[in-house]
Amino acid sequence: MEAITPWKETLKQLLKNRFAVIGFTIIVLFVLLGIVAPLLTPYTYQEQNLVNRLQPPSAENWFGTDHIGRDVFTRLAYGARVSLQVGFFAVTGALIFGTMLGIVAGYFGRWVDMIISRIFDILLAFPSILLAIAIVAILGPSLENALIAIAIINIPIFGRLVRSKVISLREEEYMMAAKAQGMKNGRIILHHILPNSTAPIIVQATLSFGTAILEAAALGFLGLGVQPPIPEWGQMLADARDFIQLAPWTLVAPGISIMLVVLGFNLIGDGLRDALDPKMKN
């Protein structure tokens, strides 16, 4: 008989969750939209046609045109690349540094834990978007600096989560047995602490994707994220705010895209949380 690994069991439980499958489908569709964007439209994201500015949706322009005649669907498709890249790299950076700091704080404790925990408290004392705005204002508006800002504000979220998990694992009997056998700290962390902390990290990372995309859109809306002519959903919303009544399609398309992507990641995160929780399995 084939052995059922914990990850296979998790995948099985996840596929049973209809909402998680819907969320996964939404994300896959937007990923494919960004990948095949050049094949779906004959226009480029910076191609202007002032004669056809603010045209409603039609066969030539599926989602209409914006205030300088650019095709909204084309910019939406290319913007999917930017928004998903921001979410992926920002969350990956926050996950790596937050996990490292959380493990160090939870495992070694004492003054190390105190210093790292106070850093987390200071970062969490500021509203996340205001802290991101301050960081980008210091570094300068750009895609790279927006990534750095979003990663920094998400580090304490992962750090505190991992720290609490490590503190509970530190008192387990197998941890005491490993120390009694003379196993070094690095090996204990790699072979015992990190594998047993994976489940909450994965769930938090999935939920943070949606938050990161919202934060990137907020920075783009304020002009502190991706700079023109590169399309980004938050920037598209900022460009369309003066034409809400005259050309609502310029606002609806990027707004719904942000909502769907965030919803998709939240549904996947909720599904993973249920699949990885033994109580929910029972």
Side-chain angles (χ1 to χ4, degrees):
M1 296 179 62
E2 183 182 357
I4 300 178
T5 64
W7 291 112
K8 286 184 178 180
E9 178 64 21
T10 299
L11 180 60
K12 183 179 177 182
Q13 294 291 329
L14 189 63
L15 293 176
K16 291 181 179 179
N17 190 318
R18 295 181 180 178
F19 292 108
V21 173
I22 292 173
F24 181 76
T25 303
I26 293 173
I27 300 305
V28 169
L29 289 176
F30 274 97
V31 171
L32 291 176
L33 177 64
I35 293 174
V36 302
L39 304 177
L40 294 177
T41 172
Y43 309 102
T44 63
Y45 62 80
Q46 55 186 346
E47 184 177 343
Q48 302 179 17
N49 186 352
L50 295 177
V51 176
N52 293 324
R53 61 190 299 267
L54 298 177
Q55 293 296 310
S58 63
E60 291 77 18
N61 305 104
W62 295 350
F63 290 173
T65 60
D66 64 7
H67 62 292
I68 55 176
R70 296 173 298 190
D71 183 61
V72 174
F73 175 76
T74 301
R75 292 181 60 79
L76 189 75
Y78 280 94
R81 295 181 176 185
V82 177
S83 295
L84 292 173
Q85 285 177 0
V86 168
F88 176 78
F89 288 109
V91 171
T92 300
L95 185 152
I96 293 173
F97 287 100
T99 300
M100 290 172 55
L101 292 173
I103 289 176
V104 171
Y107 184 77
F108 293 101
R110 299 183 180 179
W111 63 270
V112 177
D113 183 21
M114 182 185 68
I115 293 175
I116 295 176
S117 296
R118 295 298 78 77
I119 294 174
F120 290 162
D121 291 339
I122 292 172
L123 292 175
L124 290 172
F126 296 93
S128 58
I129 189 61
L130 292 182
L131 182 58
I133 291 172
I135 295 172
V136 175
I138 294 172
L139 299 178
S142 68
L143 173 61
E144 293 76 13
N145 293 337
L147 286 172
I148 294 173
I150 296 172
I152 290 175
I153 63 178
N154 281 284
I155 285 176
I157 297 174
F158 286 95
R160 296 186 72 174
L161 174 68
V162 174
R163 173 184 173 272
S164 62
K165 183 66 175 179
V166 172
I167 289 175
S168 64
L169 292 173
R170 194 174 58 186
E171 306 302 326
E172 295 290 339
E173 293 181 358
Y174 65 86
M175 291 290 295
M176 298 179 182
K179 292 179 180 179
Q181 292 175 358
M183 188 177 292
K184 295 182 179 180
N185 291 331
R187 190 176 178 185
I188 291 175
I189 291 173
L190 289 176
H191 290 271
H192 295 293
I193 296 293
L194 195 56
N196 286 286
S197 304
T198 303
I201 293 174
I202 292 175
V203 174
Q204 183 58 51
T206 307
L207 294 172
S208 295
F209 267 105
T211 304
I213 290 173
L214 275 177
E215 291 162 348
L219 291 175
F221 184 84
L222 297 172
L224 298 175
V226 180
Q227 299 301 299
I230 300 174
E232 193 270 332
W233 292 342
Q235 182 192 90
M236 292 176 66
L237 288 174
D239 293 339
R241 59 185 169 181
D242 294 330
F243 308 98
I244 296 177
Q245 296 181 344
L246 183 61
W249 54 86
T250 60
L251 188 76
V252 170
I256 291 180
S257 298
I258 294 172
M259 182 203 71
L260 287 175
V261 170
V262 174
L263 175 64
F265 279 116
N266 286 342
L267 291 176
I268 296 173
D270 290 341
L272 282 172
R273 181 191 59 197
D274 296 343
L276 292 170
D277 188 350
K279 296 180 181 178
M280 296 299 296
K281 292 179 183 179
N282 295 330

